[in-house]
Structures are given as structure tokens and as C-alpha cells.
Amino acid sequence: MENTSRLLKSIQLHSLKPEILIACAAAVTLLVTLYYTFSSGDEERPPNLTISLPEQCKPGWQGRVLEEPAIKISGSSAIQCYCPANGMLLGRVNPVTQDGIDRAILKAKEAQREWAKSTFSQRRRVLKTILKYVLENQESIATIACLDSGKTKIDASLGEILVTVEKLKWTIQHGEKALKAERRPTNFLMMYKHNEVRWEPLGVLAACVSWNYPFHNLMGPIISTIFTGSALLLKSSEQTAWSLAPFVSIARNALSACGHSPNLIQPVVCWPATASHLTSHPGIAHITFIGSRPVAHNVCASAAKSLIPVCVELGGKDPAIILEDNSNVKRLHQIASMLLRGVFTSAGQNCVGIERVIVLPTSYDPLISILEPRIRALRVGSTLDEPEEVDVGAMISDTSFDRLERLIADSVAQGAKLVVGGTRYVHPKHPQGHYFSPTLLVDVRPHMRIAQEEVFAPICVLMRADSVDDALAMANSTPYALGASVFGRAASADVEKCVRGVRAGMVSVNDFAVYYAVQLPFGGVGGSGYGRFAGEEGLRALCNVKSVCRDRWPGLGVRTSIPGVIDYPARSVARAWRFCRGMVELGYGEGWMRVEGLWRMVRNG
């Protein structure tokens, strides 16, 4: 026993060494790569794609800097596209009309008739083609995302590319299992029946997606639509209309290269006045909406006219609860790093971003002392112009800046303390860029507006909780209920209490938003919407759920036959009633009741 104990301790100590971990990870990666390389047949081998990039992606490109950057142009219906980080004009996009939407739906419907007959192997090949292209062209994809949204390249890698290839890989590996017909149990009376549930194509789907992740928010619905055998009408936000064409061309070119119609995916962009024609169109079988609550009310009301089901993914006010058992200084530094990523990724424009950090007393002041210098040191700017000098990118526009400054000022007037930032930032090199200073606001209380309203900005809000119950009450005090994080000893009762007690659709323990990096179902409740995308549940939600009940032994002639006593027209209603009562007792009673039920059927049959 002593030798065994020493061996275990030795293994445990060695397992902590980085070089051992790296070597093990490399070996596992090699084995997995070899398995997936040689386990799939040639029929699924992806072809190469060659796609022309926009000139704006070329090194050294410089566009005209707009004096007052805005997507609307006086006297024109065109959408003006520009880079939020520096105000450079990217181009103009003509919005689609109602007739254009009708034509797009007809094209998609025609293409879907054939695609609905496709095999899982054919669908996987298309997704493998997309995956191959994305992995080989990360630089250009990140550049397009940065140009259109103003985010940093690191944010583009983590929030656009990594989660997209994860969804592709998951769907390729697990999608067929999720959609294969599933056997369901029968009962005593129906023992001669075989029951199953099938997930079949719905037809033409629609996705109306937000601007904060211009690549991933487009590719997510495309991946699921392709694999479920449907077609897609894909509407991007006007704020990121420029990147719609190059990003969608990846999927359309993949379909063509694999011998299928690119019309399966129909990209559109339009102004809000035209969008209602799309969201109420009888040719649409399902809508995925990612956006704000006010717009969601309009989308759902419009969809109701044609009884179109909607998956609604709205904003959040996600809490991160820091428990007492995190008072170790080293651990607090690790937590602070995750909090910073959770708050400042994409300049805080993240539906599952951390908007409230709720801290128990022993960790509160030490955490502030760690966060303050790190937030103060964050560098704001244009990642494509100064790639080594930027931590936090631009916001999509400056329309929210007045509101953000009022929220901060109001909270300070009510007792909160502004430690860092708190105002818009005029960049010395890019004065036309949309920047808000990375902000640290502490001593915030639940009644303050900034603790209740989604800010969608680079603002770190700290709230002190007196106990675990107090922390949960704070976490559950808003209308939102999307995601949450809990930091503490993994197996502790307090952690489990928070996981159970927090009102949210998703929870990460000792981490931030990792549920999306493993394709668990994504979505919230309450003011954060309803329905799920991602994972098995999300894939199945885009299908027609068909229940099939058939004879188990058709060759033996065992099938349903209506007993004469209950056949129309009934010869004796009284006898028919007694027979039915006996049948129910036989099928669902316990003990002697079943025997009595059988006897009742025999006497009255």
C-alpha cells in the first residue's frame, strides 16, 4: 500500500508539469487526428475552395475616413458600411425589397426539395469543406470580422472562429446520432407496436442575427440548416451588412464544390420596415432570432401572423458569483483573468458577457486591488492599425454612449464608486472610431439601474454580497436569465447551491461561458428569451418531429382489429362501456385489478 501511495503521488506530481501535459496532449491530438483522417471514406473527403477576398482585406489597404460615420445616408436607401474602429468606409450595400425576399424564398424552396433527400454523409462532406476552409483561412476571416465590427483579432479568434469550428466539428461527429430515428417505449396494450421518433427537414428556415459576432452568428444557423436538410434565408444586421457576402460565400461555395445548389443559403439585409415581410412570410417554417428585447417583440408578433415558431435569444445581465473559498490570492488572480475576459471581450458586446461580479466579503477588497491596475492598463484601439498595441476594440456605434454615461453617473450619485474609466474615449489616432473607456465601478447595489439594465459595454460592475443567499438574491434580481458563472471549490455545497439556485439557462463553474465551447444547448429564460440552439436540442429544434407507430410483427398478421362490441354502430352501449372499462383496468391497473379487467372484457366482448 505504501508503494502504491508513493506511485500515485509521483504520478500526481508529474502530471502537474507543463511539459508532461503538453506531451500527453500532443499524443492524444495525433491519435484523434489519425483516427478521423482515415476513418471517413473518400466520399466525405472535402474539396479545396478558392474564394476571392474583398480588397479591404489586402495588406496596406486604406479607405476614406468618414467625417461622421453612420450606416444611414441622407437621400439614399443604401446602407453605408464602415469600420467602427477607425471610421473608414468599407462600401455600400443595397437593402433587399419585399419582392427580393419573395424571390429568395422561392429559390431556397426549390433547392431544398433536392437537399431534403441528401444523406448524412453528403451533409457531412459540405460541413467538412467549410471546416477545412475556415481552418486554413483564419487570418482573412478575422480581418473581415475586425473591419466590420471593430473588435480585436484575439476576440475574433475566440468569439468567431473557435466557436464556429467547434460547432462544425460537433455536428460532423455527433449530428447524425442526434437526428437518427429514436426508438421509444410501448405499453402493455400496445405491446405489438413499434414506436419511433424521427427528425425530418422543415423546409425553408430563417435566421435574423445580431451584429456582435458577424461571422459566427451567420455560420451557426448555416451549419445547423445544412445538416438538418433544410434551406435558409439569412438576414444579417444592417450594422454588419458588409461582411455578409464574403462570409456566406464560404457556405455557398462549399455547397457548389460538393455538387449541390448554392441557392440553399439565401443572404439578405434590409431595413426594419422591410423585415416584417420576412418574419411573417408563410413560406418560412422557423425563425431563429438573436437580438434585443424590443425588436424580439416585433419579430414574434409578426411571426404569429403565419404561426411561425421562433427561437428567441436575447440579451443578458449575467452574474459571476465569487464565493468565500476563493480568498487565496493566487486563485483570485486566476479568477480576475477570467472576469476580465468575460467583461471586456468584444468591448463588452457579448450576450453572455459578465455584467455583474457579485463577491462575498473576504474576496471583495482583494479582488478590487487586483482588477484596478489591470483594467487601468487596458489599451483601446484599432487592432488592424496597431496590432501589438490593442487589448479592447471599438464598439459598433456611439449611439449608446450618452445612456452609458448617465447610468454610471446615476450609480455614483447613489453611492457607487467609479474607480477606472466611465466615459467615452476619443482615440488620438482614430477620432472617428467608437470607443468607450474600460470601466471599473464598485459598491454597486441591486436597485441601481446599472445593476438591472443590460449595458453591452466594457464596464466591470462589482457588487458586495453578505452571504451566499444574498449573492443569489442579487443574481436573480433582474428580468434577464441567460448565463451565469460561479467561482468556488468545485465540490462544495455553496457552489452546488448557486448552480441550483441561480436563474439562468446556462452555468459555468470556475470558468466563463465554456458551455458554448462544448456545444451544450444555448439559451435562457425570462427576459433572455426562449428556445435553444446548439447541441442536440438545438439541432432537433430545427426539424419536424415526426412520431411513427407501426406494427411490430406485420408478417405474423398481428395488427389492430376493432372488437365488435365497440365497433360502429354499437349494438349495446352498456356492454361497450363495461368492455372499455375492463380494457383500461387490464392495461393500467395493478395486481388483481388487471385480472378483473380481463374478466370484464371476456364477459362483455
Side-chain angles (χ1 to χ4, degrees):
M1 278 298 290
E2 187 176 345
N3 290 335
T4 302
S5 177
R6 286 176 183 169
L7 178 61
L8 289 173
K9 287 180 180 179
S10 174
I11 292 172
Q12 190 174 18
L13 286 172
H14 280 295
S15 69
L16 296 176
K17 293 182 178 179
E19 59 270 22
I20 300 295
L21 289 173
I22 292 171
C24 291
V28 171
T29 301
L30 177 62
L31 290 173
V32 171
T33 301
L34 290 173
Y35 172 79
Y36 283 111
T37 299
F38 296 105
S39 64
S40 61
D42 288 338
E43 70 276 2
E44 291 187 15
R45 198 171 300 281
N48 293 319
L49 294 184
T50 302
I51 301 174
S52 298
L53 294 175
E55 63 171 328
Q56 294 88 338
C57 293
K58 296 176 181 177
W61 175 82
Q62 290 289 312
R64 176 169 65 89
V65 177
L66 300 171
E67 290 186 14
E68 296 181 3
I71 61 172
K72 291 186 177 181
I73 311 168
S74 178
S76 173
S77 64
I79 299 167
Q80 181 171 256
C81 306
Y82 66 92
C83 177
N86 54 28
M88 286 186 184
L89 179 67
L90 297 172
R92 293 183 178 182
V93 173
N94 289 320
V96 73
T97 62
Q98 292 187 5
D99 288 342
I101 290 172
D102 293 339
R103 289 192 296 272
I105 291 175
L106 284 175
K107 288 181 181 179
K109 187 176 182 180
E110 183 66 28
Q112 195 270 335
R113 287 195 184 99
E114 286 302 312
W115 185 245
K117 304 172 189 174
S118 62
T119 64
F120 286 126
S121 180
Q122 290 173 315
R123 298 173 191 179
R124 272 194 297 269
R125 186 172 186 239
V126 175
L127 296 190
K128 287 180 178 181
T129 304
I130 296 173
L131 175 61
K132 183 174 185 290
Y133 181 86
V134 173
L135 290 173
E136 293 173 352
N137 294 272
Q138 296 182 56
E139 187 79 26
S140 60
I141 290 170
T143 298
I144 294 171
C146 292
L147 282 169
D148 212 14
S149 68
K151 65 179 58 183
T152 68
K153 290 185 76 173
I154 300 301
D155 289 344
S157 178
L158 297 176
E160 305 275 12
I161 296 171
L162 183 148
V163 289
T164 298
V165 295
E166 158 60 22
K167 188 176 184 73
L168 282 162
K169 199 76 170 179
W170 184 94
T171 308
I172 290 166
Q173 294 177 359
H174 307 291
E176 181 174 357
K177 179 184 176 184
L179 298 184
K180 286 189 75 171
E182 187 174 276
R183 181 85 175 268
R184 293 295 173 88
T186 188
N187 58 47
F188 181 75
L189 294 179
M190 294 287 112
M191 66 174 69
Y192 62 98
K193 293 293 184 180
H194 176 279
N195 310 320
E196 68 179 25
V197 177
R198 298 179 178 181
W199 288 271
E200 298 183 347
L202 268 178
V204 180
L205 315 179
C208 305
V209 299
S210 58
W211 44 260
N212 54 334
Y213 291 100
F215 178 65
H216 178 69
N217 283 351
L218 295 178
M219 294 305 298
I222 287 174
I223 294 164
S224 297
T225 298
I226 286 174
F227 202 79
T228 54
S230 287
L232 181 66
L233 193 74
L234 184 58
K235 179 197 172 298
S236 75
S237 166
E238 312 89 270
Q239 298 282 359
T240 49
W242 176 76
S243 58
L244 175 64
F247 284 155
V248 172
S249 71
I250 299 172
R252 288 171 62 92
N253 275 278
L255 284 163
S256 295
C258 294
H260 308 291
S261 173
N263 287 336
L264 198 70
I265 309 298
Q266 293 291 321
V268 299
V269 62
C270 62
W271 293 110
T274 308
S276 60
H277 183 71
L278 187 162
T279 53
S280 63
H281 201 290
I284 297 297
H286 182 280
I287 297 173
T288 297
F289 174 78
I290 305 174
S292 67
R293 288 181 67 185
V295 178
H297 285 293
N298 294 330
V299 170
C300 292
S302 177
K305 296 175 183 176
S306 296
L307 298 179
I308 304 171
V310 186
C311 173
V312 181
E313 197 278 289
L314 307 179
K317 193 69 182 171
D318 289 13
I321 301 174
I322 317 299
L323 298 173
E324 293 279 21
D325 48 15
N326 289 304
S327 54
N328 177 281
V329 173
K330 181 179 178 181
R331 179 59 183 146
L332 276 181
H333 277 279
Q334 295 171 337
I335 292 171
S337 292
M338 283 183 271
L339 294 176
L340 290 170
R341 179 56 60 184
V343 172
F344 295 104
T345 289
S346 294
Q349 300 164 121
N350 183 2
C351 58
V352 289
I354 296 173
E355 293 233 347
R356 297 171 295 155
V357 182
I358 302 170
V359 191
L360 271 69
T362 57
S363 300
Y364 191 79
D365 289 332
L367 186 58
I368 292 174
S369 67
I370 294 170
L371 289 173
E372 178 181 353
R374 295 185 64 178
I375 294 175
R376 199 178 295 279
L378 290 176
R379 300 162 298 176
V380 175
S382 173
T383 190
L384 299 178
D385 294 303
E386 299 91 28
E388 294 298 324
E389 301 173 18
V390 177
D391 299 302
V392 180
M395 295 185 68
I396 196 68
S397 77
D398 58 4
T399 55
S400 65
F401 289 179
D402 288 342
R403 171 179 163 271
L404 294 175
E405 289 175 346
R406 282 197 303 270
L407 287 174
I408 293 169
D410 289 348
S411 64
V412 171
Q414 296 177 63
K417 181 182 177 183
L418 179 61
V419 181
V420 180
T423 62
R424 69 193 73 197
Y425 175 69
V426 179
H427 198 286
K429 294 182 180 179
H430 311 292
Q432 274 73 34
H434 305 315
Y435 296 102
F436 199 88
S437 301
T439 297
L440 176 60
L441 189 68
V442 305
D443 297 345
V444 173
R445 301 302 301 162
H447 67 273
M448 298 176 184
R449 285 179 58 206
I450 202 163
Q452 293 294 316
E453 300 179 15
E454 185 180 33
V455 295
F456 226 56
I459 301 174
C460 183
V461 169
L462 256 66
M463 307 171 71
R464 184 196 298 265
D466 295 330
S467 64
V468 175
D469 288 334
D470 189 30
L472 279 172
M474 288 183 180
N476 295 334
S477 66
T478 79
Y480 297 98
L482 190 55
S485 295
V486 180
F487 293 90
R489 284 196 302 272
S492 73
D494 284 346
V495 166
E496 184 58 29
K497 183 176 183 177
C498 288
V499 170
R500 285 176 169 271
V502 69
R503 187 167 179 260
M506 305 163 289
V507 181
S508 290
V509 176
N510 289 323
D511 218 317
F512 157 65
V514 286
Y515 37 73
Y516 202 51
V518 291
Q519 282 299 292
L520 288 176
F522 187 98
V525 294
S528 292
Y530 51 83
R532 296 293 185 269
F533 55 79
E536 184 176 286
E537 292 79 1
L539 208 56
R540 290 178 170 184
L542 297 178
C543 296
N544 171 36
V545 183
K546 182 180 285 184
S547 301
V548 180
C549 185
R550 65 174 77 227
D551 293 326
R552 180 179 291 182
W553 305 293
L556 300 178
V558 180
R559 62 177 63 90
T560 297
S561 178
I562 303 297
V565 67
I566 60 172
D567 201 4
Y568 286 127
R571 296 190 297 270
S572 169
V573 173
R575 285 182 61 198
W577 162 251
R578 290 192 292 270
F579 180 89
C580 289
R581 176 183 169 184
M583 182 172 62
V584 172
E585 291 170 342
L586 173 65
Y588 301 97
E590 298 291 339
W592 279 104
M593 179 180 283
R594 304 186 78 172
V595 177
E596 292 172 355
L598 177 61
W599 178 241
R600 206 182 306 276
M601 290 176 66
V602 171
R603 284 197 307 166
N604 292 280

